[in-house]
Amino acid sequence: MYSRPPGPDTERGMRAHHARAAKALDARVEPGGEFWGWAGRTLGAPALTAAGQSAWLRLVSAPEDKASGKLWDGALDAQHAFGDLDWHRPALLGVHDALDDGTAYRAELSARVDEPVLSGDPILRQDRDLPDSFQSPRLLQR
């Protein structure tokens, strides 16, 4: 499920757009931490902002006519609606959009969470014993 893009040209293009987005967002990607997402459509890496803040730079690609909806706009919409929820959600620090030959690219620079990974894939397959500090009363109230 999580793999590099299907071909070397697409892979090079994703890396090039990731580097351009880092420059546009005034961030420096840290070496050795590249992570590919579903079918090579996303590429993320740890980064540092110009001020030295730990960040995460994620690039997603889609055909231009499919670059919309919650998978595309979710992080930006959540930032506008909720902010960082008193640091219970990584703050979105910047967004950079680009178009290239019918493909849309969106880069999101977020504050980096320096906690251990809970799951190597999107499905949490076993219970985790989390400290109380990971639970926000505001998030638990309905």
Side-chain angles (χ1 to χ4, degrees):
M1 182 192 285
Y2 293 88
S3 59
R4 287 191 156 101
D9 290 342
T10 304
E11 185 172 335
R12 276 191 296 276
M14 286 289 286
R15 285 195 173 112
H17 280 282
H18 195 268
R20 285 185 205 123
K23 186 174 183 177
L25 293 167
D26 203 13
R28 183 175 50 84
V29 174
E30 296 180 333
E34 181 179 273
F35 294 90
W36 290 96
W38 182 79
R41 287 192 45 223
T42 63
L43 174 59
L48 291 173
T49 67
Q53 178 183 357
S54 292
W56 185 260
L57 181 60
R58 175 183 178 264
L59 179 74
V60 62
S61 67
E64 186 177 356
D65 62 337
K66 304 237 188 245
S68 63
K70 63 184 171 185
L71 293 176
W72 191 263
D73 295 315
L76 189 56
D77 290 348
Q79 182 66 35
H80 288 150
F82 305 113
D84 65 14
L85 295 173
D86 296 325
W87 291 101
H88 286 91
R89 181 185 164 283
L92 184 63
L93 306 173
V95 173
H96 175 73
D97 291 325
L99 290 173
D100 186 10
D101 198 26
T103 300
Y105 298 89
R106 171 160 285 176
E108 299 163 344
L109 185 67
S110 300
R112 187 165 67 210
V113 176
D114 287 323
E115 297 294 329
V117 173
L118 294 176
S119 176
D121 63 49
I123 300 169
L124 189 59
R125 299 182 189 280
Q126 52 187 256
D127 290 337
R128 298 294 183 185
D129 186 24
L130 299 177
D132 290 339
S133 63
F134 277 55
Q135 297 187 26
S136 169
R138 186 161 66 179
L139 293 175
L140 298 176
Q141 294 173 351
R142 297 225 183 239

Coordinates of all heavy atoms in Angstrom, one line a residue, residues 18 29-36 43-47 56-57 112:
H18 N 8.7 18.4 -4.2 CA 8.9 18.5 -2.7 C 10.1 19.5 -2.4 O 9.9 20.3 -1.5 CB 9.3 17.1 -2.2 CG 9.2 16.9 -0.7 ND1 10.3 17.1 0.1 CD2 8.2 16.6 0.1 CE1 9.9 16.9 1.4 NE2 8.6 16.6 1.4
V29 N 14.7 20.6 4.4 CA 14.4 19.2 4.6 C 15.6 18.5 5.2 O 16.7 18.8 4.8 CB 14.0 18.5 3.3 CG1 13.8 17.0 3.5 CG2 12.7 19.1 2.7
E30 N 15.4 17.7 6.3 CA 16.5 17.0 6.9 C 16.8 15.8 6.2 O 15.9 15.1 5.7 CB 16.1 16.8 8.4 CG 15.9 18.0 9.2 CD 15.5 17.8 10.6 OE1 14.9 16.7 10.9 OE2 15.8 18.6 11.5
P31 N 18.0 15.4 6.1 CA 18.4 14.2 5.3 C 18.0 12.9 6.0 O 17.9 12.8 7.2 CB 19.9 14.3 5.2 CG 20.3 15.2 6.3 CD 19.2 16.1 6.6
G32 N 17.7 11.9 5.2 CA 17.5 10.5 5.7 C 16.1 10.2 6.2 O 16.0 9.1 6.8
G33 N 15.1 11.0 6.0 CA 13.8 10.7 6.6 C 12.7 10.7 5.6 O 11.6 11.1 6.0
E34 N 12.9 10.3 4.4 CA 11.9 10.4 3.4 C 10.8 9.2 3.6 O 11.2 8.1 3.8 CB 12.6 10.2 2.0 CG 11.7 10.3 0.8 CD 12.5 10.1 -0.4 OE1 13.0 11.1 -1.0 OE2 12.6 9.0 -0.9
F35 N 9.6 9.6 3.5 CA 8.5 8.6 3.6 C 7.5 8.7 2.5 O 6.9 9.8 2.3 CB 7.8 8.7 5.0 CG 8.7 8.4 6.2 CD1 9.4 9.5 6.7 CD2 8.8 7.2 6.6 CE1 10.2 9.2 7.8 CE2 9.6 6.9 7.7 CZ 10.3 7.9 8.3
W36 N 7.3 7.6 1.8 CA 6.3 7.6 0.7 C 4.9 7.2 1.2 O 4.9 6.3 2.1 CB 6.7 6.7 -0.4 CG 7.9 7.2 -1.2 CD1 9.2 6.9 -0.9 CD2 7.9 8.2 -2.2 NE1 10.0 7.6 -1.8 CE2 9.3 8.4 -2.6 CE3 6.9 8.9 -2.9 CZ2 9.6 9.3 -3.6 CZ3 7.3 9.8 -3.9 CH2 8.6 10.0 -4.2
L43 N 4.5 12.3 -0.4 CA 5.9 12.2 0.0 C 6.1 13.2 1.2 O 5.8 14.3 1.1 CB 6.9 12.6 -1.1 CG 8.4 12.7 -0.8 CD1 8.9 11.4 -0.4 CD2 9.1 13.2 -2.1
G44 N 6.6 12.6 2.3 CA 6.8 13.4 3.5 C 8.2 13.3 4.0 O 8.9 12.3 3.8
A45 N 8.7 14.3 4.7 CA 10.0 14.3 5.3 C 10.1 15.3 6.4 O 9.4 16.3 6.4 CB 11.0 14.6 4.2
P46 N 10.9 15.0 7.4 CA 11.2 16.0 8.5 C 11.9 17.2 7.9 O 12.7 17.1 7.0 CB 12.0 15.2 9.5 CG 12.6 14.1 8.8 CD 11.7 13.8 7.6
A47 N 11.6 18.3 8.5 CA 12.2 19.6 8.0 C 12.4 20.5 9.2 O 11.9 20.3 10.3 CB 11.3 20.2 7.0
W56 N 7.3 19.1 9.6 CA 7.1 18.0 8.7 C 6.5 18.6 7.4 O 5.6 19.3 7.4 CB 6.0 17.0 9.3 CG 5.9 15.8 8.4 CD1 4.9 15.5 7.5 CD2 6.8 14.7 8.4 NE1 5.1 14.3 6.9 CE2 6.2 13.8 7.4 CE3 7.9 14.3 9.0 CZ2 6.8 12.6 7.1 CZ3 8.5 13.1 8.7 CH2 8.0 12.3 7.8
L57 N 7.2 18.2 6.3 CA 6.8 18.7 4.9 C 6.2 17.5 4.2 O 6.9 16.6 3.9 CB 8.0 19.3 4.2 CG 7.6 19.8 2.8 CD1 6.6 21.0 2.9 CD2 8.9 20.4 2.1
R112 N 6.1 19.6 13.7 CA 6.4 18.1 13.8 C 6.1 17.6 15.2 O 6.5 18.2 16.2 CB 7.9 17.9 13.4 CG 8.2 16.4 13.4 CD 9.5 16.1 12.7 NE 10.6 16.6 13.4 CZ 11.8 16.9 12.8 NH1 11.9 17.0 11.5 NH2 12.8 17.3 13.6

